[in-house]
Amino acid sequence: MNFIIQNALVATNDNYTTQDIQIVDKNISVSFASQLETPETVVNGENKLLLPGFINAHTHSSEMWQRGIMSMFPLELWLAELYDFAPLTTEEVYLSALGTAVETLLSGGTTVVDHLVLIPGKELETIATAVRAYKEVGIRAFIAPLIQDESIAAGIPAGDTQQTYEPYFRSTQQTLDIIEDAVKQFHNSDAGINIVVAPTGIQLCSDALFQGCAELSNKYNLCRHSHLLETKAQEKLALEKYGCTAVEHLQRIGYLDYRTSLAHCVHLNDADIEILAETKSTVVHNPLSNLRLGSGIAPVIKYRQAGVNVSFGCDGASSNDSQDLLEAIKIGSILHNVTDLDYQHWITPRDSVKMAALGGAIGLNIGDVLGSLDVGKKADLVLYDLTSLSLLPRTDPIGLLVLGRPTNIVNSAWVDGKQVVADGKVTTIDVDNLRQELFQRSHWQSQRKSKTAKELESHYRAVMGI
Amino acid sequence: MNFIIQNALVATNDNYTTQDIQIVDKNISVSFASQLETPETVVNGENKLLLPGFINAHTHSSEMWQRGIMSMFPLELWLAELYDFAPLTTEEVYLSALGTAVETLLSGGTTVVDHLVLIPGKELETIATAVRAYKEVGIRAFIAPLIQDESIAAGIPAGDTQQTYEPYFRSTQQTLDIIEDAVKQFHNSDAGINIVVAPTGIQLCSDALFQGCAELSNKYNLCRHSHLLETKAQEKLALEKYGCTAVEHLQRIGYLDYRTSLAHCVHLNDADIEILAETKSTVVHNPLSNLRLGSGIAPVIKYRQAGVNVSFGCDGASSNDSQDLLEAIKIGSILHNVTDLDYQHWITPRDSVKMAALGGAIGLNIGDVLGSLDVGKKADLVLYDLTSLSLLPRTDPIGLLVLGRPTNIVNSAWVDGKQVVADGKVTTIDVDNLRQELFQRSHWQSQRKSKTAKELESHYRAVMGI
């Protein structure tokens, strides 16, 4: 569809201008009124801010089923509780993928990276379900099936104890075969569906799994994803496991390159940061999850100073409890002001927008075609209504958007030139029906008791010195 | 008005129950269906959560005029920029007070503490304007006229330099006279309007001002408010000024008691914390402002462990850029998980609700009549719609409310038994008209240059060792 957005506010280098933008053949075409051809559709951009779509660069969609209910636990015990109550039907996976996509779109995101938890025994079906949901909503999706080949208890450092673990229920090769099957069946960048290789992290994965994933990435030119050094426990575990930091080890086994995005990166030292910069790896910052789980504050100002690309993620709704990308961007920007006295290093709202859009795109190896309003780039666009009370009085539109708490402000959104939000509503699926489905398949509850968390707790406390 | 809320979800000790609540003569009456008399009005509470109204325990309403536009500065330079561009008409004060009240109500707050910036020469007029706005909206208001008797440059430590400052334009006694006039004209707790004595803080106030305020507080039984040790610079300044900590000094001059609430409290040592506990002073936690200005993370877990009462505030919209109380509660709760490895100390969503409601009430010396759903307490109530996509699927209602990012979820709110929000809309004023007024009186802008900030900057950097 060819269309034109008229009179939208667009950021210039250090100010704003009112401009017409034309989209032809899914791409941003020309942006000067005098050159415009007759468009099929005209969108009124008056009192609206046009920005490139943001990228929700790390989430786990099916965690939506446990938002609001998870105990106040650090990651290692939280994960045990999460898996004790994980959803087990593809219908649930479908609904939470729809929900995640809708919340992402309505908070400025046009791309989602779903580090997708697989239902044991129904791995390909789980992936197929997420593909279906994202296609229906029309969001650009990077589906990163979450894989591991070690059992959950292996994720806690042994400390002075001798620990033995059950073997994981599926072999490394079987897991890699599932991923290759998924690539063959579903990977189709042009259609907006991408499969990503995504071992969960060093805490639960063998070198063989990482290396098998790197080979698949090379063979099919896939993005690579992983959690990295989210917690202090993982930092300790890496030293136990490898005798060096996790970053040094991942570099050694060839997992880090320009297609690699790494969620969290809270506990890296300066040498690690240098390695990320050298390998052109991307840090995905998930500030709310890192606070909720007490993981720490990622050294994002240092990453930026070292030239490491940084993007934002919501993380799953069990560790953040919202999928609002604007919230992650706000907190992920201002949080670092308490880590560096020199305000000249602080992230400005314009920096934040660039990280969320272009930073996200670079992390997915599509920075050349996405993430800014440049002519020739794909039309993944969001038009924000600036007349919401939460954005008034008028001052700096990007400052209001990033530093405020805007509500109901995404007026329109397009993915690959196709409109998916109009007049503040998602147009591709029936959101009221989705709400009813989510409501009917759930019930009010209060605190639960996780058997696995209880089993792991005393060892966890001992080894972490609590 | 007498009314009944039917079938609302209400929290029990560790679970939820569905209950009918009756309000008679502005108070929560009986809460067992069998005892109910015939009510005038019935409110449908189905699939809604009933909570006591929260208290936005620290804000500055007129800062709304500069939200989204303030430079990324620490407090001392930010304040210089703020005052260079402060609004100067009572009409602006009126509109931003309305806006602050509306945003507070729509995010669960039924009481606002407005540390109100006074227009020089129009002090009583400014206060009268805020009184008018809050009465119109029907929110419970504690108006705390922001006063000082030293000029802005005095708020930065001298370090090794010799600093001299212009005297403040108004004498200490004139200022105290204004406050006493305001008390006589406007203080009327029964009508929901309270005047609070509120020197801005040790950085810009003499002992005479603090002591004069304490005398007024004793004479009229007024609450006392102040900023306290928001920044590292203020910590240094207190040592320069008093040779002891600010808390020790404020105790010595008699400012701290059970009616005293203190905004920020970021840089207190353990002995200071003991003094707050002994004097029964309240800490008002403003997490978003503390992050945005790089002030630091208040040691809230320590406060709770020491038995210090803690409540939440948004702070003004120039240092947080939103007046969403639920956002302040979420971030002000999870932020502390990164300061204490032991998750057993972390603030739970139920703790957060108690801090935001009862903690706020205690800080305003009305804990006996407000802040919980107990029979006989005033009916300051909020009914949350739990069918919003942002709160689905159903799990733990309070967990979803506190840890999620709920939008459009305040269905109804009552202040002193009077309904002020119905069907998600404020019923007492025309919010669309307010939006238009805010829109028309403002314009899109980009970064500004503050003359005063520039004058202070090199001294600030030198003395802070940046």
Side-chain angles (χ1 to χ4, degrees):
Chain A
M1 192 179 81
N2 298 347
F3 62 99
I4 182 172
I5 304 166
Q6 278 183 337
N7 293 318
L9 270 177
V10 170
T12 59
N13 257 351
D14 57 359
N15 211 328
Y16 295 90
T17 184
T18 301
Q19 202 165 307
D20 295 349
I21 307 279
Q22 188 166 23
I23 283 74
V24 175
D25 296 336
K26 302 179 177 184
N27 296 315
I28 299 168
S29 177
V30 285
S31 50
F32 301 98
S34 60
Q35 295 172 264
L36 293 171
E37 296 169 28
T38 313
E40 293 167 17
T41 304
V42 175
V43 176
N44 179 7
E46 212 178 343
N47 296 320
K48 299 188 184 78
L49 174 69
L50 185 70
L51 289 179
F54 298 145
I55 284 146
N56 185 354
H58 180 70
T59 189
H60 308 278
S61 59
S62 62
E63 286 189 13
M64 184 172 275
W65 290 97
Q66 295 187 73
R67 72 167 160 200
I69 185 71
M70 296 293 299
S71 302
M72 298 311 282
F73 270 152
L75 178 81
E76 287 72 18
L77 302 178
W78 171 92
L79 204 60
E81 181 179 326
L82 186 78
Y83 279 92
D84 277 357
F85 298 97
L88 289 170
T89 72
T90 50
E91 189 61 16
E92 287 169 316
V93 169
Y94 172 69
L95 293 170
S96 51
L98 290 182
T100 300
V102 167
E103 293 197 291
T104 298
L105 282 174
L106 294 178
S107 58
T110 50
T111 296
V112 63
V113 178
D114 187 356
H115 204 177
L116 181 71
V117 177
L118 303 176
I119 300 173
K122 295 187 192 168
E123 292 82 1
L124 275 171
E125 230 179 307
T126 311
I127 298 166
T129 302
V131 168
R132 177 163 67 95
Y134 293 132
K135 277 191 171 170
E136 281 179 21
V137 175
I139 198 168
R140 192 179 296 279
F142 285 73
I143 298 172
L146 187 148
I147 52 177
Q148 65 190 74
D149 58 357
E150 292 170 10
S151 64
I152 192 164
I156 300 179
D160 300 330
T161 67
Q162 285 291 334
Q163 299 280 324
T164 54
Y165 312 109
E166 294 286 309
Y168 194 62
F169 78 94
R170 192 173 57 220
S171 77
T172 306
Q173 192 53 51
Q174 282 171 325
T175 298
L176 290 167
D177 290 345
I178 288 168
I179 301 305
E180 187 157 13
D181 277 356
V183 174
K184 289 177 182 165
Q185 284 186 46
F186 306 115
H187 185 66
N188 185 351
S189 292
D190 289 342
I193 298 290
N194 305 271
I195 301 295
V196 175
V197 295
T200 188
I202 64 101
Q203 65 280 8
L204 296 173
C205 298
S206 69
D207 287 358
L209 189 61
F210 274 110
Q211 289 171 318
C213 283
E215 282 167 25
L216 288 174
S217 161
N218 290 337
K219 185 170 171 186
Y220 298 100
N221 193 25
L222 306 174
C223 290
R224 308 169 180 196
H225 193 62
S226 183
H227 296 108
L228 179 64
L229 292 169
E230 179 170 357
T231 64
K232 200 84 192 154
Q234 290 176 6
E235 187 186 3
K236 279 176 193 267
L237 184 70
L239 291 176
E240 281 184 3
K241 231 173 151 168
Y242 310 126
C244 66
T245 72
V247 176
E248 287 169 330
H249 186 73
L250 287 178
Q251 183 185 34
R252 198 173 298 159
I253 63 174
Y255 195 70
L256 306 180
D257 80 5
Y258 63 97
R259 292 168 298 198
T260 310
S261 64
L262 301 158
H264 304 298
C265 298
V266 178
H267 298 278
L268 275 68
N269 63 32
D270 290 349
D272 293 337
I273 295 174
E274 275 310 308
I275 293 173
L276 295 192
E278 274 169 37
T279 56
K280 300 195 186 304
S281 302
T282 287
V283 169
V284 184
H285 184 30
N286 300 275
L288 293 153
S289 167
N290 294 158
L291 294 177
R292 209 263 207 214
L293 301 178
S295 304
I297 298 177
V300 167
I301 291 179
K302 282 191 182 182
Y303 293 142
R304 288 169 50 79
Q305 286 168 338
V308 175
N309 183 49
V310 181
S311 62
F312 294 106
C314 289
D315 206 355
S318 297
S319 71
N320 166 5
D321 309 81
S322 112
Q323 292 298 295
D324 192 299
L325 196 46
L326 286 167
E327 182 190 36
I329 294 168
K330 172 176 180 174
I331 303 304
S333 299
I334 64 175
L335 181 58
H336 308 286
N337 297 3
V338 298
T339 67
D340 190 332
L341 259 186
D342 191 347
Y343 49 89
Q344 293 177 354
H345 303 155
W346 296 354
I347 298 167
T348 68
R350 285 186 178 234
D351 293 335
S352 309
V353 162
K354 200 168 170 186
M355 292 160 71
L358 190 60
I362 290 170
L364 297 170
N365 195 24
I366 47 173
D368 54 335
V369 293
L370 218 72
S372 63
L373 295 185
D374 295 319
V375 170
K377 281 201 165 180
K378 288 178 187 295
D380 286 21
L381 304 171
V382 178
L383 194 61
Y384 297 92
D385 178 2
L386 298 172
T387 67
S388 157
L389 181 61
S390 61
L391 299 178
L392 289 173
R394 288 188 282 177
T395 60
D396 179 343
I398 289 178
L400 289 163
L401 188 73
V402 170
L403 297 171
R405 189 186 189 272
T407 51
N408 311 324
I409 41 75
V410 171
N411 174 272
S412 305
W414 294 264
V415 177
D416 215 27
K418 185 188 167 198
Q419 188 153 19
V420 290
V421 177
D423 288 330
K425 308 270 182 210
V426 171
T427 54
T428 44
I429 65 160
D430 182 340
V431 175
D432 273 339
N433 184 55
L434 170 64
R435 281 174 51 236
Q436 285 169 31
E437 290 279 349
L438 292 171
F439 188 92
Q440 280 157 16
R441 287 165 189 270
S442 56
H443 61 279
W444 309 123
Q445 12 176 352
S446 196
Q447 224 176 0
R448 308 167 306 182
K449 295 289 167 210
S450 159
K451 187 171 162 288
T452 313
K454 198 171 163 58
E455 283 165 14
L456 297 177
E457 188 166 14
S458 64
H459 172 63
Y460 176 84
R461 291 184 73 84
V463 78
M464 296 308 294
I466 302 174
Chain B
M1 192 180 76
N2 299 348
F3 63 100
I4 181 173
I5 304 167
Q6 277 182 337
N7 294 316
L9 270 179
V10 171
T12 58
N13 257 351
D14 57 0
N15 210 327
Y16 295 90
T17 185
T18 301
Q19 202 165 309
D20 295 348
I21 308 278
Q22 189 166 22
I23 283 75
V24 174
D25 295 337
K26 302 181 178 183
N27 295 315
I28 299 170
S29 176
V30 283
S31 49
F32 302 98
S34 61
Q35 296 172 267
L36 292 170
E37 297 170 29
T38 312
E40 294 167 16
T41 304
V42 175
V43 176
N44 179 7
E46 213 178 343
N47 297 319
K48 299 188 186 77
L49 174 71
L50 185 70
L51 290 179
F54 298 144
I55 284 146
N56 186 355
H58 180 69
T59 189
H60 309 279
S61 59
S62 62
E63 285 189 13
M64 183 171 276
W65 290 98
Q66 295 187 72
R67 73 167 159 199
I69 185 72
M70 296 293 299
S71 302
M72 298 310 282
F73 270 152
L75 177 82
E76 287 72 18
L77 301 179
W78 171 93
L79 204 61
E81 182 179 325
L82 187 78
Y83 280 91
D84 276 358
F85 298 97
L88 290 171
T89 73
T90 51
E91 188 60 16
E92 288 168 315
V93 169
Y94 172 69
L95 292 171
S96 51
L98 291 182
T100 300
V102 167
E103 292 197 290
T104 298
L105 283 174
L106 294 179
S107 59
T110 50
T111 296
V112 64
V113 178
D114 187 357
H115 204 176
L116 181 71
V117 177
L118 304 175
I119 300 172
K122 296 186 191 169
E123 292 82 0
L124 275 171
E125 229 180 309
T126 311
I127 298 167
T129 302
V131 168
R132 177 163 66 96
Y134 293 133
K135 277 191 170 169
E136 282 179 21
V137 175
I139 199 168
R140 193 179 295 280
F142 285 73
I143 297 171
L146 188 149
I147 52 178
Q148 65 191 74
D149 59 357
E150 291 170 11
S151 63
I152 193 163
I156 300 179
D160 301 330
T161 66
Q162 285 292 333
Q163 298 281 325
T164 53
Y165 312 108
E166 296 286 310
Y168 193 62
F169 78 95
R170 191 172 59 220
S171 78
T172 305
Q173 191 54 51
Q174 282 171 325
T175 298
L176 290 166
D177 290 346
I178 288 169
I179 301 305
E180 188 158 13
D181 276 357
V183 173
K184 289 177 182 166
Q185 284 186 46
F186 306 114
H187 185 66
N188 184 351
S189 292
D190 289 341
I193 297 292
N194 305 272
I195 300 295
V196 175
V197 295
T200 188
I202 62 101
Q203 65 280 7
L204 297 173
C205 299
S206 68
D207 287 358
L209 188 60
F210 275 109
Q211 289 171 317
C213 283
E215 282 167 25
L216 288 174
S217 161
N218 290 338
K219 185 170 172 186
Y220 297 100
N221 193 26
L222 307 175
C223 290
R224 307 170 179 194
H225 193 63
S226 183
H227 296 107
L228 179 64
L229 291 168
E230 180 171 355
T231 63
K232 201 84 193 156
Q234 289 176 6
E235 188 186 4
K236 279 177 194 264
L237 184 70
L239 291 176
E240 280 184 3
K241 229 171 153 171
Y242 309 127
C244 65
T245 73
V247 175
E248 288 169 330
H249 187 74
L250 287 178
Q251 184 186 32
R252 197 173 299 159
I253 63 173
Y255 195 71
L256 305 181
D257 80 5
Y258 63 98
R259 293 169 297 198
T260 311
S261 64
L262 302 158
H264 304 298
C265 297
V266 178
H267 299 278
L268 275 69
N269 64 32
D270 290 348
D272 293 336
I273 295 175
E274 275 312 307
I275 293 173
L276 295 192
E278 274 169 37
T279 55
K280 300 195 184 306
S281 302
T282 287
V283 169
V284 183
H285 184 30
N286 300 275
L288 293 153
S289 166
N290 295 159
L291 294 177
R292 208 261 209 218
L293 301 179
S295 304
I297 298 177
V300 167
I301 291 179
K302 283 191 181 183
Y303 293 141
R304 287 169 51 80
Q305 287 169 338
V308 175
N309 182 51
V310 181
S311 62
F312 294 106
C314 289
D315 206 355
S318 298
S319 72
N320 167 4
D321 309 83
S322 111
Q323 291 299 292
D324 192 298
L325 196 46
L326 286 166
E327 181 190 37
I329 294 168
K330 172 177 180 174
I331 302 304
S333 299
I334 64 175
L335 180 58
H336 308 287
N337 297 3
V338 298
T339 68
D340 190 332
L341 258 186
D342 192 347
Y343 49 90
Q344 293 177 354
H345 304 156
W346 296 354
I347 298 167
T348 68
R350 285 187 179 231
D351 293 335
S352 309
V353 162
K354 200 168 171 186
M355 292 160 73
L358 190 59
I362 290 171
L364 297 170
N365 195 24
I366 47 174
D368 53 336
V369 293
L370 217 72
S372 62
L373 295 185
D374 295 319
V375 169
K377 280 200 164 180
K378 287 178 188 295
D380 286 21
L381 304 171
V382 179
L383 193 60
Y384 296 91
D385 179 1
L386 298 173
T387 67
S388 157
L389 181 62
S390 61
L391 298 178
L392 290 174
R394 288 188 283 176
T395 61
D396 179 345
I398 289 178
L400 288 163
L401 187 73
V402 170
L403 297 171
R405 188 185 190 273
T407 50
N408 310 325
I409 40 74
V410 171
N411 173 273
S412 304
W414 294 265
V415 176
D416 216 27
K418 184 188 168 198
Q419 187 153 19
V420 290
V421 178
D423 289 329
K425 308 270 182 210
V426 171
T427 53
T428 44
I429 65 159
D430 182 340
V431 175
D432 272 339
N433 183 55
L434 170 64
R435 283 174 50 237
Q436 284 169 33
E437 291 278 349
L438 292 171
F439 188 92
Q440 280 156 17
R441 286 165 190 269
S442 56
H443 61 278
W444 309 123
Q445 17 176 346
S446 197
Q447 224 177 359
R448 309 166 306 183
K449 296 288 166 210
S450 159
K451 186 170 162 288
T452 313
K454 198 172 164 55
E455 283 164 15
L456 297 177
E457 188 166 15
S458 64
H459 173 61
Y460 176 84
R461 291 184 73 84
V463 77
M464 296 308 293
I466 304 174

